Amino acid sequence: MENAAGEALTAEEGAILADVARRLAAFDRERANLIPILQTIQNTHGYLAPAVLQLVARHLRLPPSQVYGVATFYNQFRFHPPGRNPIRVCMGTACHVRGGDIILENFERKLEIPEGQTTPDREFSIERVACVGCCALAPVACVGETVHGHMAPSKVEGLILQVRIARERAEREKKDHADS
Amino acid sequence: MIRIEVDGTPLEVAEGSNLLATCLAAGIYIPNLCYMAESPEPFAGCRLCFVEIQGQPAPVTACTVAVTDGMVVHTATAPVRRLQQSAFRLLVSAHQITADCPAHKRCALQQVARHLQMGLKPKPLERVPRELEIDTSPPCFDLHPARCVLCGKCLRACQERNGSSLLTFARRGIQTVISAQGLSADGQEFTCEGCLACAAVCPVSAITPKADSGHCAGEGQGHADPQAAGS
């Protein structure tokens, strides 16, 4: 199988496509089903790959561009696989006032990816969110499930390093276990 | 036939015809980018074709008005110009202007600027150039989103001709672009046959036929001349 760009599919993408094809069979070929289908795929796989959109378009007999147009209109749909440590930077009113956009920019620069994308090693992804509910701690960023308040540009690198170190330690311990 | 009056000129027109089309046909230019006579519904997205109609409290878009008997229309009052100038400034503030643009000298935006006696600078607004790459993936044409004014004519032309549009608006708000995502020539259900209706109708050359589009059954050669609409 090949994807839209003509590249050979990875095993992971192949598995997603097979699963999506199976799930699509449950939906009638009506355009009203477009958003429920996209939501189902996003919920099970975490993102919408280009090849998946093509598959949905063919199922609903819609031009692929229209499926893409609908999917990109809504913030709830992602087009890149989520990272193991999704970073969510708050852009709510309080965080905005306290310079949330600078924090976001710092994450983008340090990880060398724009908001909405995932690092090539799948370790981090960056998202902007509107309020995580602790405005007193503004500006706020969440790494995975952990909320980090009073963020400063200087703390960004530390947070990323922390995650990388924790991961290395976990790997080392796993190795030690396997050895002993 | 009924009588209307536009800027003091009496016109005799068919009842119920479109006001903008009527004026353009009579040689009275009203700035417009998104109007297409073939569309069943006016898009009314460019916000340039404002006119004042006697008896109405505020200027209205001419493309959404059907003429009625005795209608008195003014196309160049101060409130009308103010609205048109604001809309035009917003358009050019995000429009890429380059010397090598194929629409240069015949661009609908330049025509509007001349008519409103404005430059192509959005003063006093800032320029907010949209850093968007040229999409060369469609088989028969290239998309230049930085030039696009989002008038939506291309997707309506495609819809009109092919039953469903292969082009669409993607993303939203200030990030909205015309997209031909997934458009292919590989014999699937929705394949661009290269009629180039979209390129022909584009007022600003944001869709340009590929140089080597030999396999495309191009009808619309190059670019519709906005001057044909009147002036």
Side-chain angles (χ1 to χ4, degrees):
Chain A
M1 239 202 231
E2 289 187 342
N3 67 12
E7 297 154 0
L9 290 177
T10 61
E12 186 195 355
E13 280 177 304
I16 291 180
L17 278 185
D19 178 70
V20 169
R22 201 166 41 77
R23 282 171 198 275
L24 278 177
F27 288 94
D28 292 337
R29 294 175 188 270
E30 280 172 40
R31 43 183 309 146
N33 278 333
L34 176 54
I35 288 178
I37 289 174
L38 294 178
Q39 283 171 327
T40 310
I41 299 171
Q42 163 103 11
N43 286 342
T44 32
H45 300 292
Y47 75 112
L48 307 170
V52 166
L53 291 180
Q54 290 270 5
L55 211 60
V56 174
R58 212 167 307 163
H59 181 78
L60 295 177
R61 302 200 178 99
L62 286 172
S65 62
Q66 284 189 13
V67 173
Y68 179 77
V70 169
T72 51
F73 183 85
Y74 296 101
N75 272 342
Q76 61 171 303
F77 297 122
R78 296 179 52 89
F79 300 92
H80 298 276
R84 278 180 286 272
N85 297 287
I87 292 169
R88 282 167 307 190
V89 186
C90 182
M91 288 287 140
T93 313
C95 291
H96 171 79
V97 169
R98 301 294 299 264
D101 50 336
I102 302 172
I103 304 297
L104 177 66
E105 208 187 300
N106 264 277
F107 273 112
E108 289 179 332
R109 202 176 316 139
K110 286 271 156 27
L111 293 173
E112 295 173 351
I113 49 167
E115 169 245 327
Q117 294 198 6
T118 308
T119 51
D121 62 358
R122 296 274 182 94
E123 198 60 46
F124 298 100
S125 56
I126 309 177
E127 256 174 281
R128 57 162 69 209
V129 292
C131 201
V132 283
C134 46
C135 305
L137 303 179
V140 176
C142 304
V143 180
E145 296 297 308
T146 325
V147 176
H148 297 272
H150 301 302
M151 277 299 293
S154 55
K155 289 190 191 170
V156 167
E157 190 158 19
L159 277 180
I160 296 170
L161 213 60
Q162 225 173 312
V163 171
R164 291 212 162 120
I165 290 172
R167 186 178 167 214
E168 270 166 34
R169 189 185 299 144
E171 270 172 12
R172 208 177 316 124
E173 272 169 21
K174 215 162 98 188
K175 217 168 129 201
D176 289 348
H177 265 287
D179 288 347
S180 62
Chain B
M1 296 296 257
I2 53 167
R3 288 176 169 282
I4 64 167
E5 195 187 303
V6 181
D7 291 341
T9 316
L11 296 176
E12 212 163 87
V13 296
E15 186 162 9
S17 53
N18 183 282
L19 178 59
L20 178 60
T22 304
C23 292
L24 293 177
I28 299 163
Y29 179 68
I30 296 171
N32 70 91
L33 289 176
C34 70
Y35 177 70
M36 276 174 91
E38 306 84 44
S39 298
E41 289 277 319
F43 185 66
C46 70
R47 316 311 288 169
L48 286 172
C49 68
F50 281 107
V51 292
E52 230 171 331
I53 298 172
Q54 220 164 68
Q56 299 216 9
V60 290
T61 45
C63 67
T64 54
V65 173
V67 292
T68 53
D69 197 17
M71 191 178 254
V72 179
V73 181
H74 300 282
T75 68
T77 63
V80 164
R81 281 288 181 262
R82 204 164 50 237
L83 284 168
Q84 289 172 330
Q85 285 167 351
S86 306
F88 185 74
R89 277 190 200 109
L90 289 168
L91 277 171
V92 287
S93 72
H95 181 68
Q96 185 195 58
I97 300 171
T98 52
D100 64 340
C101 177
H104 185 56
K105 291 260 168 84
R106 50 180 182 175
C107 175
L109 276 178
Q110 288 175 323
Q111 187 189 11
V112 173
R114 260 197 312 279
H115 186 78
L116 298 177
Q117 298 180 341
M118 295 171 75
L120 284 173
K121 293 208 175 92
K123 266 188 307 186
L125 304 184
E126 265 176 63
R127 285 196 58 80
V128 190
R130 308 202 301 162
E131 280 156 24
L132 297 165
E133 282 172 20
I134 299 168
D135 181 2
T136 55
S137 64
C140 292
F141 54 84
D142 294 335
L143 278 173
H144 304 257
R147 282 182 202 155
C148 179
V149 290
L150 299 174
C151 64
K153 269 185 172 177
C154 49
L155 48 105
R156 281 175 290 146
C158 192
Q159 172 91 35
E160 205 65 41
R161 200 180 178 286
N162 306 315
S164 67
S165 177
L166 298 177
L167 292 158
T168 190
F169 288 118
R171 306 214 268 271
R172 65 170 162 181
I174 196 155
Q175 288 167 336
T176 309
V177 287
I178 287 285
S179 162
Q181 184 78 15
L183 196 61
S184 61
D186 60 359
Q188 290 175 6
E189 279 157 278
F190 295 96
T191 305
C192 176
E193 285 161 6
C195 70
L196 296 178
C198 51
V201 85
C202 181
V204 291
S205 286
I207 301 179
T208 52
K210 276 205 190 351
D212 58 340
S213 57
H215 63 289
C216 304
E219 288 181 344
Q221 287 301 313
H223 182 84
D225 187 359
Q227 298 287 354
S231 169

